[in-house]
Amino acid sequence: TIIILGSNGQIGTELAEALRTKFGAENIITTDIREPQTPSPIQNFETINVLDKAALKSLFEKHKPTQVYLLAAMLSATGEQYPQKAWDLNMNGLLNVLDLAVELGNIKKIFWPSSIAVFGPHSPKVNTPQYCVMDPNSIYGISKLAGERLCEYYHEKYGLDIRSIRYPGIISWKTAPGGGTTDYAVHIFFEALAKGSYESFLSAQTALPMMYMDDAVRATIKLMDAPAESLSIRSSYNLAGVSFTPEMIAEEIKKILPNFGMSYSSGDPRQAIADSWPQSIDDEYARKDWNWDIAYDLEAMTKDMIKNLKTNN
Ligand code: VAH
């Protein structure tokens, strides 16, 4: 049995689908703090708060999972509004899972998402390497950097097989992201189709590492399938996708929707968060250790997003 904690989120929703396809729906238990918007029996859904350690223990004892994916977290922009809550959820949610995995002993593999948010103003901006100065200044980035240190520590000290990816901003059409700085790159598609225009809260030249959801899910499963002995990183793997600016994605959309209008607001607090992050990532370790290779470039992503939004929304 595989348990997904935080299955209602942007990544959780699609990871759950991919894992059901791979392992069979009957083997996947999805959970979140509240019911999904569109409940269906195939989800084997149970409500759980990852901060309730006793409830989490009962869930793990009931289902005896061999794998746990912990995707419950508060993202960067919302985290800046509620820093103490973000720290509590992101850190104690992780510690509850790690400590129960040590205590119960039946969880063979754990997946926990980190983020390019672990880099900060003094990290190299271009082709940011796996190892470098990391001075994140968002509570989300601080919690993800601390989380990476915990994952490596619990692997070294207790032998837990925890695997992690520093996700870039993720673009998808099935489930809207919740409270991230990179969310503009998702909103732009919805509004391009709904209104024919979009006002970006990030400036035209703000380059950020991004990735299409299909690639992010494929990378996650590829990492989880890799033989443990091939993994040289037990903090979290850099993963590069495509780096682009709001201006670039607007141009790409205009190739398909010629009348699309892009504008820019200023003064949004998310601009400072974005400015503290890298512009592009070097993912040599993911390529070397588990043969990672990106499939969707900006053009392919844009085409797929518009095609799916036109037929599904
Ligand atoms: C956020 N989407 O914006 C997340 C992610 C790299 C960005 O961590 O907070």
Side-chain angles (χ1 to χ4, degrees):
T1 303
I2 293 176
I3 291 182
I4 301 172
L5 300 167
S7 58
N8 291 351
Q10 183 193 16
I11 299 174
T13 308
E14 302 212 36
L15 200 50
E17 281 175 22
L19 291 171
R20 278 193 281 268
T21 303
K22 183 176 172 71
F23 294 105
E26 66 284 0
N27 295 313
I28 310 297
I29 309 287
T30 55
T31 73
D32 209 305
I33 195 154
R34 63 183 67 81
E35 287 280 323
Q37 249 128 32
T38 50
S40 86
I42 191 176
Q43 291 161 338
N44 300 326
F45 182 85
E46 299 193 27
T47 304
I48 193 109
N49 178 347
V50 294
L51 294 179
D52 181 345
K53 192 172 179 181
L56 206 54
K57 182 172 182 177
S58 306
L59 184 82
F60 288 173
E61 286 174 335
K62 175 180 167 188
H63 294 290
K64 303 227 174 311
T66 53
Q67 292 188 31
V68 173
Y69 291 70
L70 171 57
L71 300 168
M74 191 182 289
L75 298 186
S76 59
T78 310
E80 289 310 296
Q81 293 166 16
Y82 310 102
Q84 290 71 25
K85 269 177 171 273
W87 177 262
D88 186 27
L89 172 57
N90 296 1
M91 300 320 303
N92 291 318
L94 175 59
L95 279 166
N96 284 347
V97 170
L98 296 176
D99 287 332
L100 285 170
V102 173
E103 186 185 333
L104 301 176
N106 54 288
I107 302 172
K108 301 265 173 302
K109 288 181 194 174
I110 298 169
F111 179 76
W112 177 78
S114 183
S115 161
I116 57 136
V118 295
F119 299 110
H122 294 91
S123 306
K125 286 281 180 205
V126 176
N127 291 326
T128 307
Q130 180 73 37
Y131 295 102
C132 64
V133 166
M134 301 164 87
D135 55 343
N137 57 14
S138 68
I139 191 68
Y140 172 75
I142 293 164
S143 75
K144 288 299 184 181
L145 181 53
E148 291 189 3
R149 301 282 91 239
L150 284 173
C151 289
E152 189 179 85
Y153 181 83
Y154 274 68
H155 171 72
E156 299 295 333
K157 192 171 180 75
Y158 302 108
L160 289 185
D161 187 350
I162 311 155
R163 305 181 184 199
S164 179
I165 286 174
R166 289 171 181 162
Y167 287 126
I170 295 180
I171 292 163
S172 63
W173 55 274
K174 288 182 188 164
T175 304
T181 298
T182 58
D183 296 358
Y184 90 88
V186 179
H187 300 157
I188 190 170
F189 286 102
F190 284 80
E191 300 207 12
L193 289 168
K195 292 169 40 186
S197 66
Y198 180 64
E199 183 180 76
S200 171
F201 56 75
L202 295 184
S203 65
Q205 274 78 33
T206 307
L208 286 172
M210 300 282 192
M211 178 172 279
Y212 199 41
M213 178 65 82
D214 294 36
D215 274 329
V217 168
R218 181 170 57 87
T220 307
I221 291 177
K222 210 165 164 50
L223 170 60
M224 293 301 274
D225 281 348
E229 56 276 6
S230 66
L231 304 182
S232 63
I233 303 288
R234 286 294 181 166
S235 50
S236 186
Y237 278 91
N238 271 14
L239 199 66
V242 284
S243 291
F244 55 76
T245 63
E247 197 172 53
M248 289 165 68
I249 193 167
E251 287 313 306
E252 205 59 43
I253 290 172
K254 279 181 196 159
K255 289 181 189 171
I256 303 173
L257 307 171
N259 300 326
F260 173 67
M262 181 73 152
S263 61
Y264 299 90
S265 65
S266 60
D268 190 294
R270 288 167 286 191
Q271 183 65 51
I273 298 174
D275 290 341
S276 74
W277 288 350
Q279 293 170 12
S280 62
I281 297 289
D282 178 315
D283 59 3
E284 64 165 307
Y285 286 85
R287 293 174 181 279
K288 196 170 56 188
D289 290 1
W290 38 282
N291 306 315
W292 169 245
D293 199 7
I294 194 88
Y296 285 82
D297 62 8
L298 179 54
E299 183 181 5
M301 175 196 299
T302 303
K303 280 183 180 147
D304 203 66
M305 277 293 281
I306 292 176
K307 173 171 67 75
N308 282 299
L309 283 173
K310 274 183 172 170
T311 49
N312 291 282
N313 279 30

